[in-house]
Amino acid sequence: MKRLTPIPEELWDQVPPAAQAAILGVILQYEQQLRAVQVQPQPAGQPPALPTAAPAASHKAPEPSSMAELTGKTFANFEIGPLLATGNSGAMFRAKDSTKPGRVVAFQVLRPEQFKDEDRERFTRTMMVVRTLRHPTMIRVYGAGKTGPYYWIAMKYVVGDSLAQLLQKFGVAGRLDWRRTYDAAVCLTRALHEAHSHDIIHRNLKPANVIVRSDTKRAMLGDWSRARPLHGAKVEPLPWPGQLVGDLTYLSPEQTQPGTVEDGRCDIYALGATLYTLLAGRPPFEAGTAAKMTVKIRGEEPPNPKEYQLAIPEAVAGLVMRMLAKRNDVRFQNTTDVLKELERIAKIHQLSFDPDAGV
């Protein structure tokens, strides 16, 4: 294991005591989690495997050393096909639903180390609600469950690109035009509004988890793997290191503090961070380590996105910056308030606004 470079004392002394305590807490959590994992051998030609928790004694078969080995297997009534993409949280496959001839689904398999034994009931209960959600701005969930060590979610297969891919393909200097960003804001706010009205918070909104349909150009919110009931959800210790640095920038300050209560304002912050990334071509904060990122999220203010794209109207920049407020009582308090502000911006700039259909 590679040794970490010690933090120079002169720099450590400049860190506020509260931030020092938070950093030490994160380091302690990492140490505990690293002791509990073992590194699986990786076949030649495969990318390095992420740490994998040791399989429970109840598992009848050894866990595959690569997510790609799941191709050809059957989970419930879904026959897993080719691998589409891999990420920190798991892998996405194309699959067939044997109970619905001709139906092709996007089948997400989550890495087992993200879950504890007690998470099964909560996951099942949450997915039962998520399966009932229907809206043009939401990627529909057909089913979810647990097979062997794997939790999985079967979703509608949508042809299109993620917002992260669109930034790379069509962005100017890595940025999207503010009007396209506004359209995405309306769609995503409406998707969150639908979820929150059913007492579900998404908890994982970021550019990579939003698909823009090729035909309608409508942004659709997907990846419901981290969704939770809206009421009483408490922040757990931050995920293990391999997942953290890239995703942490879309978490609200309160979500970096284990034990605090999450609510819909966390999703509003994530929406603000996503819109900021589209407008500025970079996330609100960037850092090389999770500890440094946490300090920035809790204590620093991001530059106004107009510094990266001068054409952004003041009202749009103000909308995003208010979503990113450190204190959740300063942010928009609910998605209804966000939709009202989006409608006001539409009237000022003569933009299309349909809160029911997205755009």
Side-chain angles (χ1 to χ4, degrees):
M1 182 183 298
K2 182 179 179 181
R3 287 185 173 274
L4 298 177
T5 303
I7 301 175
E9 292 186 6
E10 62 270 21
L11 293 180
W12 182 254
D13 290 339
Q14 298 177 26
V15 179
Q20 289 182 359
I23 293 171
L24 292 174
V26 171
I27 293 174
L28 178 59
Q29 293 163 16
Y30 288 176
E31 290 178 345
Q32 294 172 341
Q33 292 165 354
L34 286 173
R35 291 191 188 102
V37 301
Q38 62 183 15
V39 178
Q40 301 288 340
Q42 188 69 15
Q46 294 282 355
L50 295 173
T52 302
S58 60
H59 295 165
K60 297 181 179 180
E63 182 180 322
S65 58
S66 169
M67 299 292 276
E69 294 181 15
L70 295 175
T71 296
K73 297 186 179 299
T74 299
F75 285 14
N77 52 291
F78 297 98
E79 302 171 0
I80 299 181
L83 177 68
L84 299 177
T86 58
N88 294 324
S89 61
M92 189 71 72
F93 299 83
R94 190 195 310 270
K96 295 180 180 179
D97 184 348
S98 60
T99 66
K100 302 285 185 180
R103 175 187 279 179
V104 176
V105 303
F107 196 86
Q108 183 180 19
V109 180
L110 307 171
R111 298 190 185 277
E113 59 268 21
Q114 296 184 88
F115 297 90
K116 303 174 184 178
D117 290 340
E118 58 268 28
D119 290 332
R120 180 171 185 171
E121 181 180 351
R122 182 179 61 198
F123 177 84
T124 302
R125 186 172 61 251
T126 302
M127 287 300 112
M128 287 179 64
V129 178
V130 171
R131 287 180 61 183
T132 68
L133 302 181
R134 302 283 191 277
H135 195 268
T137 60
M138 305 172 71
I139 297 179
R140 180 179 173 183
V141 172
Y142 292 129
K146 184 174 185 290
T147 300
Y150 294 107
Y151 289 82
W152 52 266
I153 304 174
M155 297 167 285
K156 181 179 178 65
Y157 185 81
V158 177
V159 178
D161 293 306
S162 71
L163 286 176
Q165 292 171 323
L166 287 179
L167 279 175
Q168 297 176 349
K169 284 186 176 182
F170 305 115
V172 178
R175 300 183 290 269
L176 289 187
D177 178 77
W178 72 265
R179 293 172 183 81
R180 294 190 69 178
T181 301
Y182 171 87
D183 290 344
V186 175
C187 290
L188 295 175
T189 303
R190 190 60 184 85
L192 291 178
H193 184 79
E194 185 71 13
H196 293 179
S197 68
H198 287 79
D199 293 332
I200 292 293
I201 50 178
H202 187 272
R203 302 176 69 246
N204 200 21
L205 203 169
K206 58 185 179 181
N209 290 340
V210 178
I211 301 297
V212 178
R213 290 186 55 148
S214 298
D215 51 1
T216 65
K217 308 303 180 185
R218 176 180 291 143
M220 301 182 69
L221 181 58
D223 195 341
W224 295 87
S225 61
R226 299 191 69 232
R228 291 272 194 88
L230 178 61
H231 301 291
K234 289 188 177 181
V235 178
E236 296 181 340
L238 295 172
W240 51 286
Q243 187 179 10
L244 199 57
V245 178
D247 300 340
L248 185 58
T249 187
Y250 299 99
L251 296 185
S252 64
E254 61 268 29
Q255 286 176 297
T256 67
Q257 304 180 51
T260 57
V261 176
E262 297 174 292
D263 59 28
R265 293 172 294 185
C266 297
D267 280 347
I268 290 175
Y269 182 98
L271 174 58
T274 296
L275 299 178
Y276 187 102
T277 301
L278 302 182
L279 293 169
R282 48 162 288 174
F285 303 105
E286 294 179 308
T289 67
K292 292 179 181 178
M293 182 73 81
T294 300
V295 171
K296 288 188 174 186
I297 289 173
R298 293 180 183 176
E300 294 185 12
E301 296 294 336
N304 191 300
K306 284 182 66 67
E307 294 186 18
Y308 302 98
Q309 189 176 163
L310 294 176
I312 301 172
E314 289 288 351
V316 174
L319 170 89
V320 173
M321 294 301 286
R322 184 176 172 187
M323 289 179 176
L324 293 174
K326 301 294 181 189
R327 289 172 44 187
N328 56 15
D329 61 344
V330 177
R331 287 177 222 144
F332 293 96
Q333 295 302 287
N334 51 62
T335 51
T336 299
D337 292 342
V338 179
L339 288 170
K340 288 179 180 178
E341 180 62 14
L342 287 168
E343 184 176 18
R344 187 182 75 87
I345 293 173
K347 292 178 180 178
I348 294 174
H349 296 280
Q350 298 182 337
L351 301 172
S352 172
F353 176 81
D354 184 346
D356 292 323
V359 292

